[in-house]
mmCIF file of all heavy atoms in Angstrom:
data_model
loop_
_atom_site.group_PDB
_atom_site.id
_atom_site.type_symbol
_atom_site.label_atom_id
_atom_site.label_comp_id
_atom_site.label_asym_id
_atom_site.label_seq_id
_atom_site.Cartn_x
_atom_site.Cartn_y
_atom_site.Cartn_z
ATOM 1 N N ILE A 25 118.348 178.977 3.900
ATOM 2 C CA ILE A 25 117.468 177.830 3.674
ATOM 3 C C ILE A 25 116.986 177.247 5.000
ATOM 4 O O ILE A 25 115.816 176.886 5.146
ATOM 5 C CB ILE A 25 118.181 176.755 2.818
ATOM 6 C CG1 ILE A 25 118.294 177.241 1.372
ATOM 7 C CG2 ILE A 25 117.429 175.419 2.865
ATOM 8 C CD1 ILE A 25 119.169 176.362 0.490
ATOM 9 N N VAL A 26 117.873 177.164 5.986
ATOM 10 C CA VAL A 26 117.447 176.588 7.263
ATOM 11 C C VAL A 26 116.431 177.489 7.953
ATOM 12 O O VAL A 26 115.521 177.010 8.645
ATOM 13 C CB VAL A 26 118.658 176.271 8.172
ATOM 14 C CG1 VAL A 26 119.152 177.494 8.930
ATOM 15 C CG2 VAL A 26 118.314 175.175 9.173
ATOM 16 N N VAL A 27 116.553 178.790 7.778
ATOM 17 C CA VAL A 27 115.548 179.708 8.320
ATOM 18 C C VAL A 27 114.199 179.471 7.635
ATOM 19 O O VAL A 27 113.147 179.389 8.295
ATOM 20 C CB VAL A 27 115.999 181.174 8.154
ATOM 21 C CG1 VAL A 27 114.859 182.137 8.471
ATOM 22 C CG2 VAL A 27 117.196 181.470 9.048
ATOM 23 N N GLU A 28 114.216 179.339 6.300
ATOM 24 C CA GLU A 28 112.984 179.063 5.557
ATOM 25 C C GLU A 28 112.358 177.742 5.998
ATOM 26 O O GLU A 28 111.137 177.648 6.194
ATOM 27 C CB GLU A 28 113.277 179.005 4.059
ATOM 28 C CG GLU A 28 113.703 180.322 3.434
ATOM 29 C CD GLU A 28 114.173 180.149 2.003
ATOM 30 O OE1 GLU A 28 114.106 179.000 1.490
ATOM 31 O OE2 GLU A 28 114.624 181.135 1.390
ATOM 32 N N MET A 29 113.183 176.734 6.157
ATOM 33 C CA MET A 29 112.676 175.428 6.570
ATOM 34 C C MET A 29 112.099 175.480 7.981
ATOM 35 O O MET A 29 111.169 174.741 8.308
ATOM 36 C CB MET A 29 113.789 174.384 6.481
ATOM 37 C CG MET A 29 114.218 174.074 5.058
ATOM 38 S SD MET A 29 115.664 173.003 4.999
ATOM 39 C CE MET A 29 114.976 171.458 5.596
ATOM 40 N N GLY A 30 112.657 176.351 8.801
ATOM 41 C CA GLY A 30 112.130 176.519 10.151
ATOM 42 C C GLY A 30 110.667 176.934 10.132
ATOM 43 O O GLY A 30 109.866 176.475 10.962
ATOM 44 N N HIS A 31 110.299 177.783 9.166
ATOM 45 C CA HIS A 31 108.898 178.202 9.046
ATOM 46 C C HIS A 31 107.998 177.005 8.746
ATOM 47 O O HIS A 31 106.823 176.993 9.134
ATOM 48 C CB HIS A 31 108.737 179.230 7.920
ATOM 49 C CG HIS A 31 109.489 180.503 8.130
ATOM 50 N ND1 HIS A 31 109.498 181.176 9.332
ATOM 51 C CD2 HIS A 31 110.260 181.239 7.295
ATOM 52 C CE1 HIS A 31 110.225 182.267 9.225
ATOM 53 N NE2 HIS A 31 110.717 182.327 7.997
ATOM 54 N N GLU A 32 108.536 176.012 8.035
ATOM 55 C CA GLU A 32 107.757 174.848 7.639
ATOM 56 C C GLU A 32 107.695 173.792 8.743
ATOM 57 O O GLU A 32 106.670 173.117 8.921
ATOM 58 C CB GLU A 32 108.371 174.221 6.385
ATOM 59 C CG GLU A 32 108.460 175.173 5.194
ATOM 60 C CD GLU A 32 109.427 174.688 4.125
ATOM 61 O OE1 GLU A 32 109.950 173.553 4.266
ATOM 62 O OE2 GLU A 32 109.663 175.430 3.149
ATOM 63 N N VAL A 33 108.777 173.660 9.483
ATOM 64 C CA VAL A 33 108.898 172.546 10.428
ATOM 65 C C VAL A 33 108.473 172.916 11.843
ATOM 66 O O VAL A 33 107.695 172.193 12.484
ATOM 67 C CB VAL A 33 110.346 172.007 10.433
ATOM 68 C CG1 VAL A 33 110.554 171.005 11.565
ATOM 69 C CG2 VAL A 33 110.684 171.380 9.088
ATOM 70 N N ILE A 34 108.981 174.011 12.368
ATOM 71 C CA ILE A 34 108.757 174.333 13.782
ATOM 72 C C ILE A 34 107.270 174.404 14.151
ATOM 73 O O ILE A 34 106.868 173.887 15.201
ATOM 74 C CB ILE A 34 109.512 175.620 14.169
ATOM 75 C CG1 ILE A 34 111.025 175.343 14.172
ATOM 76 C CG2 ILE A 34 109.071 176.140 15.533
ATOM 77 C CD1 ILE A 34 111.895 176.565 14.413
ATOM 78 N N PRO A 35 106.398 174.984 13.325
ATOM 79 C CA PRO A 35 104.990 175.065 13.713
ATOM 80 C C PRO A 35 104.281 173.725 13.867
ATOM 81 O O PRO A 35 103.252 173.651 14.556
ATOM 82 C CB PRO A 35 104.351 175.883 12.576
ATOM 83 C CG PRO A 35 105.466 176.701 12.028
ATOM 84 C CD PRO A 35 106.661 175.790 12.101
ATOM 85 N N VAL A 36 104.781 172.657 13.232
ATOM 86 C CA VAL A 36 104.092 171.367 13.328
ATOM 87 C C VAL A 36 104.681 170.475 14.411
ATOM 88 O O VAL A 36 104.150 169.400 14.688
ATOM 89 C CB VAL A 36 104.110 170.602 11.978
ATOM 90 C CG1 VAL A 36 103.495 171.448 10.885
ATOM 91 C CG2 VAL A 36 105.513 170.161 11.589
ATOM 92 N N VAL A 37 105.782 170.908 15.034
ATOM 93 C CA VAL A 37 106.416 170.115 16.093
ATOM 94 C C VAL A 37 105.786 170.494 17.424
ATOM 95 O O VAL A 37 105.689 171.669 17.769
ATOM 96 C CB VAL A 37 107.940 170.365 16.120
ATOM 97 C CG1 VAL A 37 108.578 169.634 17.291
ATOM 98 C CG2 VAL A 37 108.562 169.918 14.804
ATOM 99 N N GLU A 38 105.354 169.498 18.183
ATOM 100 C CA GLU A 38 104.602 169.766 19.402
ATOM 101 C C GLU A 38 105.459 169.791 20.663
ATOM 102 O O GLU A 38 105.275 170.659 21.519
ATOM 103 C CB GLU A 38 103.485 168.730 19.554
ATOM 104 C CG GLU A 38 102.446 168.806 18.434
ATOM 105 C CD GLU A 38 101.342 167.787 18.594
ATOM 106 O OE1 GLU A 38 101.391 166.981 19.563
ATOM 107 O OE2 GLU A 38 100.421 167.784 17.758
ATOM 108 N N ASP A 39 106.391 168.851 20.795
ATOM 109 C CA ASP A 39 107.100 168.765 22.076
ATOM 110 C C ASP A 39 108.484 168.141 21.917
ATOM 111 O O ASP A 39 108.880 167.270 22.692
ATOM 112 C CB ASP A 39 106.269 167.942 23.074
ATOM 113 C CG ASP A 39 106.822 168.027 24.491
ATOM 114 O OD1 ASP A 39 107.308 169.104 24.888
ATOM 115 O OD2 ASP A 39 106.786 166.992 25.209
ATOM 116 N N THR A 40 109.231 168.583 20.901
ATOM 117 C CA THR A 40 110.565 168.042 20.642
ATOM 118 C C THR A 40 111.505 169.193 20.303
ATOM 119 O O THR A 40 111.151 170.042 19.482
ATOM 120 C CB THR A 40 110.533 167.043 19.460
ATOM 121 O OG1 THR A 40 109.546 166.042 19.716
ATOM 122 C CG2 THR A 40 111.886 166.376 19.269
ATOM 123 N N PRO A 41 112.691 169.230 20.900
ATOM 124 C CA PRO A 41 113.648 170.276 20.537
ATOM 125 C C PRO A 41 114.020 170.205 19.055
ATOM 126 O O PRO A 41 114.281 169.120 18.533
ATOM 127 C CB PRO A 41 114.867 169.967 21.422
ATOM 128 C CG PRO A 41 114.317 169.197 22.576
ATOM 129 C CD PRO A 41 113.196 168.378 21.996
ATOM 130 N N VAL A 42 114.014 171.355 18.400
ATOM 131 C CA VAL A 42 114.380 171.443 16.985
ATOM 132 C C VAL A 42 115.713 172.170 16.873
ATOM 133 O O VAL A 42 115.882 173.266 17.418
ATOM 134 C CB VAL A 42 113.307 172.190 16.172
ATOM 135 C CG1 VAL A 42 113.742 172.322 14.707
ATOM 136 C CG2 VAL A 42 111.960 171.467 16.268
ATOM 137 N N LEU A 43 116.662 171.552 16.180
ATOM 138 C CA LEU A 43 117.998 172.122 16.013
ATOM 139 C C LEU A 43 118.169 172.632 14.587
ATOM 140 O O LEU A 43 117.617 172.059 13.644
ATOM 141 C CB LEU A 43 119.084 171.081 16.305
ATOM 142 C CG LEU A 43 119.446 170.821 17.769
ATOM 143 C CD1 LEU A 43 118.256 170.316 18.565
ATOM 144 C CD2 LEU A 43 120.582 169.801 17.848
ATOM 145 N N ALA A 44 118.943 173.690 14.453
ATOM 146 C CA ALA A 44 119.253 174.248 13.136
ATOM 147 C C ALA A 44 120.634 173.793 12.698
ATOM 148 O O ALA A 44 121.591 173.861 13.477
ATOM 149 C CB ALA A 44 119.210 175.774 13.186
ATOM 150 N N GLY A 45 120.734 173.352 11.455
ATOM 151 C CA GLY A 45 122.043 173.095 10.876
ATOM 152 C C GLY A 45 122.619 174.418 10.406
ATOM 153 O O GLY A 45 122.075 175.052 9.502
ATOM 154 N N VAL A 46 123.697 174.849 11.044
ATOM 155 C CA VAL A 46 124.271 176.162 10.764
ATOM 156 C C VAL A 46 125.586 176.021 10.007
ATOM 157 O O VAL A 46 126.460 175.247 10.401
ATOM 158 C CB VAL A 46 124.521 176.948 12.074
ATOM 159 C CG1 VAL A 46 125.187 178.287 11.782
ATOM 160 C CG2 VAL A 46 123.215 177.151 12.825
ATOM 161 N N ASN A 47 125.700 176.786 8.928
ATOM 162 C CA ASN A 47 126.950 176.842 8.177
ATOM 163 C C ASN A 47 127.885 177.821 8.895
ATOM 164 O O ASN A 47 127.841 179.025 8.659
ATOM 165 C CB ASN A 47 126.683 177.287 6.741
ATOM 166 C CG ASN A 47 127.942 177.338 5.901
ATOM 167 O OD1 ASN A 47 129.016 176.957 6.349
ATOM 168 N ND2 ASN A 47 127.815 177.815 4.683
ATOM 169 N N GLY A 48 128.722 177.288 9.761
ATOM 170 C CA GLY A 48 129.585 178.128 10.575
ATOM 171 C C GLY A 48 130.682 178.837 9.812
ATOM 172 O O GLY A 48 131.264 179.808 10.314
ATOM 173 N N THR A 49 130.966 178.382 8.600
ATOM 174 C CA THR A 49 132.031 179.022 7.812
ATOM 175 C C THR A 49 131.508 180.184 6.972
ATOM 176 O O THR A 49 132.287 180.831 6.270
ATOM 177 C CB THR A 49 132.710 178.011 6.872
ATOM 178 O OG1 THR A 49 131.762 177.581 5.884
ATOM 179 C CG2 THR A 49 133.242 176.816 7.639
ATOM 180 N N ASP A 50 130.208 180.441 7.029
ATOM 181 C CA ASP A 50 129.585 181.486 6.220
ATOM 182 C C ASP A 50 130.219 182.848 6.527
ATOM 183 O O ASP A 50 130.057 183.378 7.628
ATOM 184 C CB ASP A 50 128.084 181.522 6.533
ATOM 185 C CG ASP A 50 127.312 182.484 5.640
ATOM 186 O OD1 ASP A 50 127.943 183.326 4.972
ATOM 187 O OD2 ASP A 50 126.068 182.389 5.631
ATOM 188 N N PRO A 51 130.929 183.442 5.561
ATOM 189 C CA PRO A 51 131.600 184.712 5.828
ATOM 190 C C PRO A 51 130.671 185.919 5.747
ATOM 191 O O PRO A 51 131.089 187.045 5.997
ATOM 192 C CB PRO A 51 132.668 184.778 4.734
ATOM 193 C CG PRO A 51 132.064 184.027 3.592
ATOM 194 C CD PRO A 51 131.235 182.933 4.208
ATOM 195 N N PHE A 52 129.393 185.671 5.402
ATOM 196 C CA PHE A 52 128.441 186.761 5.243
ATOM 197 C C PHE A 52 127.418 186.810 6.377
ATOM 198 O O PHE A 52 126.387 187.465 6.258
ATOM 199 C CB PHE A 52 127.728 186.636 3.888
ATOM 200 C CG PHE A 52 128.689 186.654 2.741
ATOM 201 C CD1 PHE A 52 129.032 185.478 2.087
ATOM 202 C CD2 PHE A 52 129.293 187.836 2.333
ATOM 203 C CE1 PHE A 52 129.939 185.481 1.032
ATOM 204 C CE2 PHE A 52 130.204 187.851 1.282
ATOM 205 C CZ PHE A 52 130.527 186.675 0.633
ATOM 206 N N ARG A 53 127.707 186.118 7.475
ATOM 207 C CA ARG A 53 126.844 186.141 8.645
ATOM 208 C C ARG A 53 127.638 186.617 9.850
ATOM 209 O O ARG A 53 128.764 186.154 10.084
ATOM 210 C CB ARG A 53 126.289 184.748 8.960
ATOM 211 C CG ARG A 53 125.217 184.221 8.023
ATOM 212 C CD ARG A 53 123.910 184.977 8.158
ATOM 213 N NE ARG A 53 122.809 184.328 7.469
ATOM 214 C CZ ARG A 53 122.633 184.279 6.156
ATOM 215 N NH1 ARG A 53 123.514 184.832 5.357
ATOM 216 N NH2 ARG A 53 121.583 183.691 5.623
ATOM 217 N N GLN A 54 127.066 187.520 10.622
ATOM 218 C CA GLN A 54 127.616 187.842 11.935
ATOM 219 C C GLN A 54 127.057 186.787 12.863
ATOM 220 O O GLN A 54 125.878 186.820 13.218
ATOM 221 C CB GLN A 54 127.198 189.252 12.370
ATOM 222 C CG GLN A 54 127.897 189.723 13.627
ATOM 223 C CD GLN A 54 127.580 191.174 13.943
ATOM 224 O OE1 GLN A 54 127.234 191.957 13.050
ATOM 225 N NE2 GLN A 54 127.687 191.531 15.210
ATOM 226 N N MET A 55 127.889 185.820 13.238
ATOM 227 C CA MET A 55 127.386 184.582 13.806
ATOM 228 C C MET A 55 126.658 184.760 15.135
ATOM 229 O O MET A 55 125.657 184.085 15.393
ATOM 230 C CB MET A 55 128.526 183.571 13.937
ATOM 231 C CG MET A 55 128.054 182.129 14.046
ATOM 232 S SD MET A 55 126.882 181.600 12.739
ATOM 233 C CE MET A 55 127.882 181.722 11.260
ATOM 234 N N ASP A 56 127.111 185.671 15.985
ATOM 235 C CA ASP A 56 126.405 185.850 17.251
ATOM 236 C C ASP A 56 124.993 186.369 17.026
ATOM 237 O O ASP A 56 124.038 185.936 17.683
ATOM 238 C CB ASP A 56 127.191 186.776 18.182
ATOM 239 C CG ASP A 56 127.455 188.150 17.578
ATOM 240 O OD1 ASP A 56 127.382 188.308 16.346
ATOM 241 O OD2 ASP A 56 127.760 189.079 18.356
ATOM 242 N N VAL A 57 124.829 187.253 16.052
ATOM 243 C CA VAL A 57 123.506 187.788 15.730
ATOM 244 C C VAL A 57 122.632 186.700 15.100
ATOM 245 O O VAL A 57 121.439 186.575 15.413
ATOM 246 C CB VAL A 57 123.632 188.994 14.771
ATOM 247 C CG1 VAL A 57 122.251 189.475 14.325
ATOM 248 C CG2 VAL A 57 124.410 190.115 15.445
ATOM 249 N N PHE A 58 123.225 185.900 14.222
ATOM 250 C CA PHE A 58 122.464 184.836 13.551
ATOM 251 C C PHE A 58 121.986 183.792 14.558
ATOM 252 O O PHE A 58 120.829 183.352 14.510
ATOM 253 C CB PHE A 58 123.319 184.185 12.465
ATOM 254 C CG PHE A 58 122.578 183.153 11.653
ATOM 255 C CD1 PHE A 58 121.438 183.502 10.939
ATOM 256 C CD2 PHE A 58 123.022 181.845 11.599
ATOM 257 C CE1 PHE A 58 120.749 182.558 10.190
ATOM 258 C CE2 PHE A 58 122.346 180.897 10.850
ATOM 259 C CZ PHE A 58 121.202 181.250 10.140
ATOM 260 N N ILE A 59 122.857 183.388 15.486
ATOM 261 C CA ILE A 59 122.480 182.416 16.510
ATOM 262 C C ILE A 59 121.342 182.970 17.363
ATOM 263 O O ILE A 59 120.359 182.269 17.668
ATOM 264 C CB ILE A 59 123.689 182.060 17.400
ATOM 265 C CG1 ILE A 59 124.782 181.350 16.585
ATOM 266 C CG2 ILE A 59 123.250 181.203 18.591
ATOM 267 C CD1 ILE A 59 124.419 179.992 16.078
ATOM 268 N N GLU A 60 121.454 184.227 17.741
ATOM 269 C CA GLU A 60 120.399 184.863 18.533
ATOM 270 C C GLU A 60 119.068 184.868 17.774
ATOM 271 O O GLU A 60 117.998 184.635 18.345
ATOM 272 C CB GLU A 60 120.810 186.289 18.892
ATOM 273 C CG GLU A 60 119.855 187.002 19.828
ATOM 274 C CD GLU A 60 120.356 188.373 20.212
ATOM 275 O OE1 GLU A 60 121.381 188.833 19.664
ATOM 276 O OE2 GLU A 60 119.709 189.004 21.074
#
């Protein structure tokens, strides 16, 4: 969901750092790859 929302939010932001809320306990993500 945060990846999908990134498509909606990041393109309209002009000059502000955008942070992702990451579910760090997700057992179905290889976290280093996901962060990258």
Side-chain angles (χ1 to χ4, degrees):
I25 288 171
V26 82
V27 169
E28 293 171 3
M29 292 173 69
H31 298 315
E32 302 163 5
V33 171
I34 290 175
V36 303
V37 175
E38 296 180 358
D39 190 37
T40 306
V42 178
L43 279 61
V46 177
N47 181 5
T49 66
D50 186 345
F52 301 103
R53 287 291 191 287
Q54 188 174 335
M55 200 52 64
D56 58 340
V57 175
F58 185 59
I59 295 293
E60 186 177 7

